[in-house]
């Protein structure tokens, strides 16, 4: 194994940056592999084009006869670009993407064949896909799985395959994917936000949730990764001593991008341009060999699809550059992990960002309405929002090395805090003309000026307002954005619905003017949600104690956090908004619990294997070398040998102690796994793996890492942190 390590290092050091031919103008290739409106005008009839674009804008169903025209145009376009197959591209509950390729080729008999792709094949398929997680939804023999076209997300070409974004549902209608609940949540927030936006602009007919994600990742040479069984099988290092130099000097952050990494980024961005993914930003992140890319914001459903797609594309492009893309939230201990910051806002069809202040007091009141309602939504559903970012991998990141803590809080900055403090003092009932003038001119009216100079930014906040959007920073880098976006849009939709009911009631029953009613309701929301706002450092016991005083939850582990998914409040929320029924809620809860237990199980098995089959044998081998040395010294110095072999004897004893600890802990971990594996209840099993199995990981790792420092470097079998993080 040590031979493999040095071969991998030699191979890595001999790598050169792959040459990438970059187009002179990226705008010329943007969306060249996307079936967008420009392409539709060329390949569709007028009727078909109007049907598709209306479906994209309003969600209206496409007539089956028209679907035949659309599929014909889509096929001809795809074939003109060298495509041979098509697939319904969907997002099952694994968190990844899935596809089954079918050829356009269709034999006619007598040695003849045609290229065929009908409306039925476009609109719906039955891939079955019975092995995907379903949480008990598909236990009966007739519970087939169907994919159905989502026209709001355009078809695209990847390689020689036409990919058609679809939803994935059971025969009985329940969602088996991440996209279906997201689409329902987006419809709910559209309806609720549109009704509230009409208070300020009667012309608003639609509100879109927008999303701009930021993807953090590590780039490690593929040969180095291949020499690490833990990374290969789990995406992270289960052991490995921290290098003497890590990220302490911040010399990697925003620094000059290494040549191999910049070549990878250029190649990736070209592929993104072709696929219509508007990537804009790239830079070095804080940790060595960690990077980030970010696009311009898009409509949330499309942005989620693009992020799922780009994670696939990154891995495939990485292969061309002999680089492994690590998206695990914490691939290396002791340095920054990776997140996927979700920048969320709401935009009207009239071109207004509802979370951006404007030039008039009325526009600023509109901003405050959506701003305060979002904070109130987070306060009321903070446990559900925490559950949305819970995973075995993200548990390692939350609360460590600049990552947000597991406690949900909202950061808005000191200036906006002062604004809300002023609004909290608003008179109960109708406002006097003087108070109304004071509010509109000196409080609400000055919000744009306040935000212009408001540069406060809290890197530890899980949910922060950053000027014209909220940034949900706690989402993990490996996650599908759909989970977090389904929850966020659902809770905001519910909150806005309740807000409108309260405002309308004050207008009707109390005969208040609209502005007075809005101010009165916002005042109460500001008071009620004050506990969720936090401007300080989100680390350590001080914040945990403060959060406990405020009544905020502190669900540190995934099994604990996931309980919120099946609470009465959550079920009521999703039922009211028609986002998910009880069967779908329970199924997802069970799936996530099972996945958690399986991931910990896999990590435990791999850690035990590496510790016993790699670390211990290497330590014994080195110990034998030391024993031979001590024996030689004894033959030379006789009874005086102990004085000359003092250090060697201490190392021999230390090695024996570490080996004994590793062995006993691995045995105990295996016994704990055996007990956990017999538990049938998914929640109890997840807790058993969390509380009884996982604690052994750190203990085993500690002794393995100590042996790494003791054993001769030439014998150590596993590629070390310094080699993975600092070999460019």
């Amino acid at each position: 194994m040590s031979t493999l390590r040095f071969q991998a290092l030699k191979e890595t050091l001999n790598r050169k940056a792959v040459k990438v031919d970059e187009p002179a103008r990226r705008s010329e290739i943007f969306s060249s592999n996307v079936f967008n409106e420009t392409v539709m005008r060329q390949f569709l009839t007028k009727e078909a084009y109007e049907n598709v674009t209306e479906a994209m804008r309003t969600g209206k169903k496409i007539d089956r006869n028209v679907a035949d025209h659309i599929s014909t145009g889509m096929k001809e376009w795809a074939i003109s670009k060298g495509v041979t197959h098509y697939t319904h591209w969907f997002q099952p509950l694994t968190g990844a993407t899935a596809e089954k390729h079918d050829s356009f080729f269709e034999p006619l008999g007598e040695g003849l064949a045609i290229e065929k792709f009908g409306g039925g094949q476009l609109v719906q398929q039955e891939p079955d896909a019975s092995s995907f997680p379903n949480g008990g939804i598909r236990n009966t023999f007739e519970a087939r799985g169907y994919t159905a076209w989502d026209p709001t997300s355009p078809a695209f070409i990847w390689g020689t395959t036409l990919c058609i974004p679809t939803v994935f549902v059971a025969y009985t209608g329940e969602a088996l994917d991440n996209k279906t609940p997201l689409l329902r949540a987006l419809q709910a927030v559209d309806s609720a936000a549109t009704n509230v936006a009409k208070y300020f602009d009667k012309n608003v007919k639609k509100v879109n949730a927008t999303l701009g994600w930021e993807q953090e990742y590590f780039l490690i040479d593929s040969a180095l990764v291949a020499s690490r069984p833990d990374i290969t099988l789990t995406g992270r290092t289960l052991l490995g001593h921290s290098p003497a130099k890590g990220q302490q000097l911040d010399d990697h952050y925003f620094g000059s991008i290494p040549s191999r990494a910049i070549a990878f980024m250029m190649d990736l961005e070209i592929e993104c341009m072709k696929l219509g993914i508007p990537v804009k930003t790239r830079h070095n992140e804080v940790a060595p060999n960690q990077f980030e890319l970010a696009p311009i914001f898009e409509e949330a459903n499309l942005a989620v699809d693009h992020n799922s797609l780009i994670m696939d594309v990154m891995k495939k492009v990485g292969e061309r550059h002999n680089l492994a893309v690590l998206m695990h939230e914490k691939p290396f201990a002791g340095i920054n992990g990776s997140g996927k910051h979700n920048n969320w806002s709401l935009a009207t069809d009239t071109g207004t960002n509802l979370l951006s202040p404007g030039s008039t007091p009325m526009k600023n009141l509109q901003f405050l309405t959506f701003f305060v309602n979002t904070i109130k939504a987070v306060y009321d559903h903070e446990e559900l929002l925490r559950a949305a970012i819970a995973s075995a991998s993200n548990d390692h990141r939350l609360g460590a090395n600049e990552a947000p803590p597991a406690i949900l809080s909202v950061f808005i900055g000191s200036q906006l805090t002062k604004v809300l403090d002023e609004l909290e003092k608003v008179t109960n009932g109708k406002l006097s003309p003087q108070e109304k003038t004071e509010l509109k001119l000196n409080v609400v009216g000055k919000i744009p000026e306040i935000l212009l100079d408001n540069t406060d930014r809290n890197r530890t906040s899980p949910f922060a307002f950053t000027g014209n959007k909220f940034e949900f920073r706690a989402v993990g880098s490996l996650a599908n954005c759909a989970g977090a976006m389904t929850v966020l849009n659902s809770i905001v939709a519910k909150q806005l619905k309740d807000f409108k009911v309260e405002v309308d009631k004050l207008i009707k029953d109390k005969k208040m003017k609209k502005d007075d009613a809005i101010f009165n309701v916002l005042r109460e929301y500001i008071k009620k949600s004050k506990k969720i706002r936090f401007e300080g450092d989100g680390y350590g016991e001080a914040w945990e104690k403060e959060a406990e005083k405020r009544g905020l939850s502190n669900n540190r582990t995934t099994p604990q956090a996931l309980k919120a998914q099946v609470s009465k409040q959550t079920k009521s929320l999703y039922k009211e908004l028609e986002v998910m029924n009880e069967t779908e809620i329970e199924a997802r809860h069970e799936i996530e619990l099972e996945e958690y237990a399986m991931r910990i199980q896999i990590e435990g098995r791999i850690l035990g294997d590496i510790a016993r089959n790699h670390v211990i044998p290497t330590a014994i081998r080195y110990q034998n070398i030391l024993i031979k040395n001590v024996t030689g010294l004894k033959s030379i110095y006789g009874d005086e040998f102990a004085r000359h072999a003092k250090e060697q004897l201490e190392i021999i004893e230390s090695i024996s102690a570490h080996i004994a600890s590793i062995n006993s802990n691995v045995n105990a971990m295996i016994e704990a796994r055996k007990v956990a594996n017999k538990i049938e209840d998914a929640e109890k099993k997840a807790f058993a793996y969390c509380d009884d199995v996982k604690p052994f990981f750190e203990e085993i790792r500690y002794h393995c890492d100590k042996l790494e420092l003791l054993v001769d470097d030439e014998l150590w079998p596993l590629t070390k942190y310094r080699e993975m993080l600092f070999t460019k």
Side-chain angles (χ1 to χ4, degrees), residues 682-699:
E683 185 174 74
K684 290 178 181 177
K685 189 172 187 175
F687 270 104
Y689 265 101
C690 179
D691 299 335
D692 303 332
V693 177
K694 190 181 172 187
F696 288 106
F697 289 12
E698 282 305 309
E699 190 67 22

Side-chain angles (χ1 to χ4, degrees), residues 662-673:
I662 292 169
N663 203 45
S664 63
N665 277 291
V666 169
N667 284 334
M669 179 180 67
I670 291 170
E671 291 305 312
R673 275 211 316 269

Side-chain angles (χ1 to χ4, degrees), residues 294-572:
I296 298 168
F297 72 91
E298 301 175 283
E299 186 275 320
N301 178 43
L302 182 58
V304 168
D305 278 1
H306 278 166
N307 183 252
S308 296
L309 175 58
I310 204 172
M311 289 197 289
D312 287 340
V313 175
M314 288 171 79
K315 290 175 183 176
K316 290 172 182 175
V317 171
E319 289 171 7
R320 298 202 288 252
H321 294 257
N322 296 302
L323 291 168
V325 182
L326 305 186
M327 293 186 192
H328 191 288
E329 282 80 0
K330 198 75 172 177
F332 303 100
I335 59 173
N336 277 22
S338 297
K340 194 197 305 276
H341 305 169
N342 279 210
N343 294 283
W344 172 89
S345 191
L346 295 169
T348 69
D349 58 346
T350 57
T352 299
N353 178 353
L354 295 172
L355 286 173
S356 182
S359 55
T360 66
M362 181 57 75
K363 287 182 180 178
N364 292 329
L365 182 56
Q366 176 180 264
F367 156 73
L368 278 171
T369 296
F370 287 91
F371 177 69
V372 172
N373 271 281
T374 301
I375 295 171
K376 175 71 161 42
V378 173
Y379 173 68
D380 286 345
H381 301 275
E382 46 101 2
E383 287 199 86
L384 181 57
L385 208 55
R386 165 67 180 97
I389 48 97
S391 69
S393 52
N394 207 22
D395 279 358
H396 293 287
R397 166 180 167 258
L398 294 177
N401 299 97
E402 294 190 14
I407 303 168
L408 258 292
S409 63
V410 178
F411 173 84
I412 62 173
S414 58
Q415 298 297 329
L416 280 172
T417 296
K418 290 177 183 176
V419 171
L420 296 194
D421 288 345
E422 288 295 321
L423 290 173
E424 201 177 325
K425 301 171 187 173
V426 170
T427 302
N428 190 2
K430 295 179 181 179
L431 278 68
S432 67
Q434 183 180 352
E435 186 175 21
K436 210 178 259 189
T437 302
E438 172 72 16
L439 275 172
K440 289 190 173 181
L441 293 181
N442 296 328
V443 180
V444 177
K446 291 186 177 179
I447 289 174
E449 298 166 36
I450 288 170
L451 284 180
L452 196 64
D453 297 321
N454 183 19
T455 55
D456 289 350
R457 186 123 187 273
N458 188 335
R459 292 181 61 85
T460 66
S461 174
F463 200 87
F465 184 71
T466 54
N468 58 3
K469 62 191 182 300
F470 279 100
E471 183 178 6
F472 192 10
R473 302 189 68 249
V475 182
S477 54
L478 202 56
N480 185 314
C481 294
M485 285 296 102
T486 297
V487 170
L488 181 55
N489 285 290
S490 295
I491 65 176
V492 171
K494 164 66 174 166
Q495 180 56 52
L496 290 171
K497 280 184 70 178
D498 293 348
F499 172 77
K500 188 170 191 307
V501 169
E502 291 188 53
V503 170
D504 288 350
K505 188 176 181 182
L506 288 177
I507 293 171
K508 182 181 177 182
D509 296 349
K510 302 290 184 181
K511 308 300 180 187
M512 282 191 192
K513 289 185 178 180
K514 180 182 66 180
D515 287 8
D516 289 352
I518 289 172
F519 275 122
N520 270 262
V521 176
L522 290 182
R523 178 196 64 235
E524 295 308 307
Y525 285 178
I526 291 166
K527 289 178 182 177
K528 289 176 183 177
S529 63
K530 198 169 187 176
K531 292 176 182 177
I532 199 75
R533 289 174 9 224
F534 180 64
E535 305 299 307
D537 190 344
Y539 292 126
E541 291 183 17
W543 168 227
E544 289 187 10
K545 288 178 181 177
E546 174 63 24
E548 189 177 358
K549 283 183 189 175
R550 297 182 182 201
L552 302 178
S553 66
N554 184 9
N555 296 322
R556 298 177 186 176
T557 67
T558 290
Q560 199 176 354
L562 292 180
K563 284 178 175 287
Q565 288 183 329
V566 288
S567 69
K568 287 183 180 179
Q569 183 188 36
T570 298
K571 289 179 178 179
S572 173

Side-chain angles (χ1 to χ4, degrees), residues 93 134-137 173-177 181 184 384 387 486-487 490 561-594 682-683:
L93 297 173
N134 61 76
I137 290 177
E174 281 88 4
L176 295 169
D177 64 345
R184 295 169 183 165
L384 181 57
T486 297
V487 170
S490 295
L562 292 180
K563 284 178 175 287
Q565 288 183 329
V566 288
S567 69
K568 287 183 180 179
Q569 183 188 36
T570 298
K571 289 179 178 179
S572 173
L573 167 77
Y574 285 145
K575 183 180 179 181
E576 179 183 336
L577 299 176
E578 298 183 342
V579 170
M580 279 188 275
N581 61 33
E582 190 159 342
T583 301
E584 291 168 322
I585 293 167
E586 295 282 358
R588 276 158 176 74
H589 183 237
E590 185 172 328
I591 287 166
E592 292 193 40
L593 288 168
E594 288 175 346
E683 185 174 74

Side-chain angles (χ1 to χ4, degrees), residues 216-219 247 252 283-292 329 336-339:
E216 294 177 338
Y217 61 98
F218 283 82
L219 284 179
Q247 63 186 46
H252 184 69
H283 63 82
N284 290 0
E285 256 302 332
V286 177
N289 273 351
Q290 186 187 31
F291 306 93
E292 181 182 291
E329 282 80 0
N336 277 22
S338 297

